């Protein structure tokens, strides 16, 4: 490429040539990253950032074995899958070997969005049905068909943006949802909600093609479905003639440590009909995959319509994918995810003893969420506090994000080479910021209350930005009484909060 | 990767693990390619194939400068566009510098399909309209929203597969369409067809969001729109409040030689509102781009909905894209496209003097189509003959394909380093096969006529395959009387045709 640009010039050119809908982290003072290694990123001044959020750089940023595999294959051949190639079939064999036996047929595509779109096409073709059940707060991708089934997105356009063929079930969130940890069987209760939707849909003479859910909801707030939920849902969906799509785009490839795929946390008696993959699959290389059963693949083929994806399954992508699998195994990254993930949760639990702001800690392996609350009993989301912590961490050169429908869940999904020391570093920093926040909160609770109404939310990330929430938008009829609406306000309170003005715009990570 | 597999094992694993909708070239005897360089590909026995079809390997297979750029960046950093990076903005600047000034804003995505889907989203958001006008035989991608606007695809599912918001205009084909080369102004006449559709749509109280067309139709039969067509269409579409999307996925990046973008062939007074890119952009690396105006980008941003593409615009993809631009320039590939393209057309015109089977030769730079006909006056598509030639060329280790609604158009779109010698090689071989075909045709015209009815077409590429036409499916009311329906039959005639049994399945290249 050309000579390095001064940061201001980079920003100027970005404003000129990149669509304004494409947001940067920390819009007020964005970070220019020029290099990365393992779990660390470096800015143009050589400052090191600890990366706690990048689940794409799965085996670590700039892993030399990934580069080596790419170069070796690029020097030889990169072409489409209309020619036979060993990489394609050997990689497909390797990938399916991690899955239950019936999931044996692959379609290689270029992104999680392409994967989920194809999953819908497979579901519709094999069932002959159209309707889709999705979860509240779900995000499944950026193409038209997926915006339609992503309440995380379409609800920002207003309730009328929901298409008739889309049905939104409550997120199986046992901390904040309709059925909680004190329910005798929240899995069955949440599944019953899906059942009720199916009944309602069928009464309208509509038919369910698919139920789609992330195996653990990521943007939805690091939600781990309660035991038995997927089994029951699959039973109801199958009875209705539909299929179960497990979206592993964010959470697959051993992130949970104990298993290679997050849906496997539900037990061996649950097998989805379609699994979609993405982000970590190529450690940043644009690739992804849909895996399904022979029966569904054959039904899809029966339409006579060919499926061709120009780049999907090319030998370079497959070589990279294979290298990622090798590294996960050779470096024992699943074991690391268990060890470091457990240690992180342990440290966070200690923090919970000290800080009333921590309402819930949930996680599996290196997928961990910390649900911040203003009040442990009402579980009022502490949105501004979460955003404040993210900003303070950035100043400390630690990259973390907050997500979920209330933007109050601190979200850990670091590269899988994350260490115990890294975990300690970030938890210590959070400890410090929570202490300051809580001390300040005592002094100014009145001010905060006064400031909670009548403040216009920032939508464009400009003045009080970079992060401003588009507002509380939940679909299903969860109890709302314990959810207040103070996002975007607290950052104006001066004391106890980051000196950098910011609000709470939805930035997905 | 692992040890090389015997070809039979590769085929076996492919059958087991790759969706049956993903077709290979020459299904009966597919080619296993293990290496490629420039315009040549090599199979597992080291046999060299001349590649006349791969417009993805734009600057030549395995170009060392592309690999070098990839490695250099992979060693440093590959992350998402939420961080500032010079590669993103410098590449965007470089790319937009090749376009008319008003096309200044980029969205980087991973495939032509993602690009066209995003183009539709931009169009719908900025116009507030929904309907789309597309061309007969058009193919714009494999995601749900694009199958819907691709008659090349959805018509295979039956006429009822057309969605209400989709309107199909005749392809501006002056050789085989409604208005031909003898029409005083075919551009205006075809544009008038679009105008009529707009009127009809508006009478139904529907509104046009976009007209979308490849700047030159590729799968549609190597169609070069007549002068003035795009200008007029743009005028009508703008009057209706819609936008013009030029799909350059197949034909961009200097393939036509005289210009960097194929839509520029229409003259400087035509500027589309949105341009989509794909295939050649990264010489095989999965990447693509949508470029539009500031106004459309701002209207898209105004919804408040963020656009994030995990892999799109990452520093590695941008470095590769920049390398491709550099190579096109340094190696003078546009000049080469003009010289070799002109020479190829010259040779083909000489062939046309000799062979009645050649009905039309059309092209620009290294995008050339040879329309084979059974009868020059009626212009009856010589589908089986075209397929036969493709097969014979394969035996001669030359890769060419036949496309268009009748699968009778020999389609040249080789890597841009294609030489005059390569052109001579393939034209000489075509000459030889046409001679044999024509000699045989004299002997067996009766047999062919008898064989033309009642033969079941192969849909699954198994018995008389690999290439079997799904049938004559055209949308617009082009005159049909000169189109017969003999595909899939002639290959059974033994004499004069390839000894390898084959029919004419639609395989897009």
């Amino acid at each position: 490429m050309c000579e390095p640009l001064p940061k201001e010039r980079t920003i100027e050119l970005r404003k000129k040539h990149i669509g304004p809908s494409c947001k940067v982290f920390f819009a007020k003072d964005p970070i220019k990253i020029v290099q990365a290694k393992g779990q660390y990123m470096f800015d143009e001044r050589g400052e090191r950032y600890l990366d706690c959020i990048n689940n794409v750089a799965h085996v670590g940023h700039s892993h030399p074995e990934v580069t080596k595999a790419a170069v070796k294959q690029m020097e030889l051949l990169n072409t489409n899958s209309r020619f036979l190639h060993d990489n394609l079939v050997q990689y497909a064999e390797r990938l399916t070997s991690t899955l239950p036996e019936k999931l044996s047929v692959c379609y290689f595509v270029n992104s999680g969005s392409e994967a989920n779109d194809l999953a819908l096409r497979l579901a519709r073709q094999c069932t002959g049905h159209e309707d889709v059940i999705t979860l509240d707060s779900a995000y499944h991708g950026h193409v038209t068909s997926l915006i339609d089934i992503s309440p995380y997105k379409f609800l920002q356009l207003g309730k009328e943006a929901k298409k008739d063929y889309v049905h939104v079930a409550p997120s199986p969130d046992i901390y904040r949802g309709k059925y909680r940890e004190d329910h005798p069987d929240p899995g069955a209760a949440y599944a019953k909600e899906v059942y009720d939707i199916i009944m309602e849909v069928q009464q309208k003479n509509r038919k369910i093609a698919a139920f789609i859910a992330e195996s653990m909801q990521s943007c939805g707030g690091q939600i781990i479905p309660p035991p038995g939920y997927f089994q029951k849902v699959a039973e109801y969906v199958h009875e209705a003639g539909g299929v179960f799509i497990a979206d592993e785009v964010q959470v697959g490839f051993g992130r949970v440590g104990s298993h290679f795929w997050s849906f496997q946390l539900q037990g061996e008696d649950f097998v989805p009909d379609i699994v979609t993959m993405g982000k970590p699959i190529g450690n940043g290389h644009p690739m992804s995959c849909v895996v399904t059963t022979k029966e569904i693949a054959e039904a899809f083929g029966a339409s006579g319509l060919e499926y061709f994806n120009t780049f999907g399954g090319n030998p370079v992508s497959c070589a990279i994918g294979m290298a990622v699998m090798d590294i996960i195994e050779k470096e024992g990254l699943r074991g690391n995810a268990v060890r470091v993930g457990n240690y992180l949760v342990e440290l966070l639990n200690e923090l919970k003893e000290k800080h009333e702001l921590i309402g819930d800690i949930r996680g599996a392996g290196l997928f961990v969420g910390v649900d911040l609350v203003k009040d442990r009993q009402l579980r009022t989301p502490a949105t501004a506090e979460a955003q404040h912590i993210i900003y303070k961490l950035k100043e400390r050169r630690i990259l973390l994000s907050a997500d979920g429908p209330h933007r109050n869940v601190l979200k850990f999904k670091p590269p899988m080479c994350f260490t115990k020391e890294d975990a300690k570093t970030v938890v210590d920093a959070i400890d410090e910021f929570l202490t300051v926040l809580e001390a300040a909160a005592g002094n100014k609770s009145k001010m905060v209350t006064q400031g909670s109404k009548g403040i216009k939310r920032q939508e464009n990330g400009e003045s009080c930005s970079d992060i401003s929430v588009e507002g509380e938008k939940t679909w299903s009829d969860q109890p709302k009484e314990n959810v207040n609406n103070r996002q975007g306000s607290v950052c104006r309170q001066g004391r106890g909060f980051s000196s950098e003005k910011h609000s709470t715009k939805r930035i997905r990570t």
Side-chain angles (χ1 to χ4, degrees), chain A:
Chain A
M1 300 294 288
C2 322
E3 286 299 294
L5 301 173
K7 187 170 171 178
E8 284 316 307
R9 178 70 181 147
T10 309
I11 292 173
E12 198 179 291
L13 281 175
R14 180 157 174 140
K15 278 191 182 149
K16 188 171 175 193
H17 290 304
I18 303 298
S21 313
C22 308
K23 306 292 188 195
V24 288
F25 286 133
F26 308 103
K28 203 92 183 150
D29 179 26
I31 307 171
K32 182 167 177 174
I33 293 292
V34 299
Q35 199 166 349
K37 200 85 197 159
Q39 65 275 47
Y40 302 110
M41 303 185 93
F42 301 87
D43 71 11
E44 78 285 5
R45 293 163 306 180
E47 297 279 3
R48 193 182 88 168
Y49 289 76
L50 172 62
D51 181 358
C52 307
I53 51 174
N54 206 324
N55 59 342
V56 173
H58 193 60
V59 298
H61 288 280
S62 317
H63 197 294
E65 292 298 319
V66 174
T67 308
K68 211 168 112 187
V71 181
K72 194 177 158 198
Q73 187 56 50
M74 283 186 84
E75 282 173 347
L76 272 180
L77 172 71
N78 186 10
T79 194
N80 66 58
S81 61
R82 293 209 186 282
F83 301 100
L84 297 174
H85 199 282
D86 288 348
N87 287 12
L88 177 73
V89 299
Q90 287 175 324
Y91 181 49
E93 192 178 31
R94 176 80 172 269
L95 209 49
T96 53
S97 74
T98 63
L99 285 158
E101 204 180 343
K102 77 166 197 172
L103 292 164
S104 63
V105 183
C106 302
Y107 298 83
F108 289 102
V109 297
N110 306 300
S111 66
S113 290
E114 284 195 0
N116 280 331
D117 180 87
L118 179 56
L120 289 185
R121 289 188 60 202
L122 290 165
R124 287 189 174 132
Q125 174 66 30
C126 86
T127 62
H129 302 172
E130 191 194 4
D131 289 23
V132 176
I133 302 176
T134 185
L135 293 183
D136 200 8
S137 303
Y139 176 70
H140 293 292
H142 55 69
V143 300
T144 310
S145 62
L146 302 177
I147 298 288
D148 285 351
I149 62 161
S150 297
Y152 184 84
K153 282 283 175 183
F154 73 70
L155 283 182
Q156 293 181 54
L157 302 170
K159 274 202 175 185
E160 65 284 3
K162 192 187 82 62
K163 296 283 182 4
D164 288 345
Y165 67 82
V166 178
H167 312 285
V168 184
S171 169
D173 175 356
I174 60 165
Y175 179 68
R176 200 174 276 293
K178 197 165 170 176
Y179 311 106
R180 301 190 171 180
E181 68 282 1
D182 55 357
H183 189 283
D185 190 351
Y190 279 114
K192 175 66 168 49
E193 296 278 328
V194 174
Y195 177 82
D196 291 344
I197 288 173
I198 293 172
M199 290 301 115
E200 207 179 305
V201 167
Q202 288 179 339
Q203 273 175 5
K204 292 180 194 157
N205 285 320
R206 305 191 66 101
K207 287 173 177 172
I208 300 296
F211 170 88
I212 184 168
E214 285 185 279
S215 300
M216 303 188 297
Q217 273 198 300
S218 183
C219 298
Q222 309 287 91
I223 307 299
I224 303 172
Y229 175 63
F230 281 171
Q231 282 88 334
K232 277 275 173 210
V233 168
E235 191 187 316
Y236 299 144
V237 170
H238 288 157
E239 274 168 20
V243 301
F244 192 115
I245 304 170
D247 177 342
E248 292 268 344
V249 170
Q250 295 256 13
V251 295
F253 289 90
R255 174 154 297 279
V256 294
S258 59
H259 299 81
F260 203 86
W261 303 104
S262 295
F263 73 78
Q264 293 170 323
L265 290 172
Q266 290 264 315
E268 283 189 8
D269 57 335
F270 170 66
V271 181
D273 303 295
I274 301 175
V275 174
T276 58
M277 304 166 184
K279 296 186 189 289
I281 187 172
N283 216 48
H285 181 80
M287 60 185 285
S288 70
C289 187
V290 181
V291 185
T292 189
T293 64
K294 196 164 173 273
E295 292 69 30
I296 291 177
E298 279 171 1
F300 188 59
S303 75
L305 214 59
E306 195 210 338
Y307 181 78
F308 178 61
N309 189 305
T310 300
F311 305 128
N314 72 71
V316 175
S317 296
C318 292
I320 288 173
M322 193 71 116
V324 169
M325 303 283 280
D326 284 342
I327 298 163
I328 293 172
E329 204 167 291
K330 273 191 221 161
E331 301 188 0
L333 293 179
R334 281 175 54 196
N336 191 64
V338 171
R339 277 188 307 277
V340 179
N342 286 348
Y343 179 70
L344 173 63
V345 168
E346 200 178 292
L347 293 176
L348 289 167
N349 275 320
E350 286 170 19
L351 228 56
K352 194 179 166 192
E353 301 293 308
K354 285 171 65 180
H355 299 290
E356 283 288 314
L357 272 164
I358 297 183
D360 189 37
I361 292 156
R362 45 191 182 254
L366 281 171
F367 181 83
V368 174
V370 182
D371 198 315
L372 297 188
V373 294
K374 301 191 75 66
D375 177 312
R376 280 194 179 175
Q377 213 187 335
L378 295 177
R379 303 185 178 180
T380 319
T383 304
E385 290 80 355
Q387 299 301 329
H388 171 78
I389 285 171
I390 298 308
Y391 271 81
K392 294 303 288 181
L393 286 170
K394 180 217 174 196
E395 284 174 12
R396 200 63 67 85
R397 311 213 187 295
I398 297 172
L399 300 169
L400 193 70
S401 70
D403 214 328
H406 312 296
R407 331 299 301 159
N408 69 314
V409 181
L410 304 181
K411 187 171 154 184
F412 291 83
K413 48 186 180 79
M416 296 275 281
C417 50
F418 206 69
T419 66
K420 287 187 177 180
E421 291 69 35
D422 299 326
K424 184 87 171 70
T425 302
V426 56
V427 173
D428 282 351
I430 292 172
D431 186 12
E432 187 185 326
F433 303 139
L434 285 174
T435 305
V436 176
L437 265 180
E438 284 165 351
N443 299 334
K444 67 184 185 56
S445 57
K446 255 166 106 181
M447 284 178 69
V448 169
T449 311
Q450 284 162 1
S452 70
K453 282 177 188 167
I455 292 180
K456 193 178 177 307
R457 269 182 287 101
Q458 297 297 325
E459 298 289 348
N460 58 8
E462 285 309 315
S463 60
C464 179
S465 74
D466 348 340
I467 305 194
S468 70
V469 158
E470 268 82 8
E472 296 293 336
K473 285 161 185 165
T474 57
W475 185 260
S476 62
D477 50 356
Q478 294 173 22
K480 295 288 198 306
E481 70 277 10
N482 59 356
V483 173
N484 73 2
N485 207 355
R486 288 192 15 220
Q487 297 85 336
S489 60
V490 188
C491 62
R492 292 167 181 258
Q493 297 306 322
R495 272 189 309 162
F497 290 88
S498 166
S499 59
E500 182 182 16
K501 283 190 175 176
H502 59 82
S503 67
T504 50
K505 184 153 179 67
R506 182 184 289 269
I507 291 262
R508 187 164 45 77
T509 51

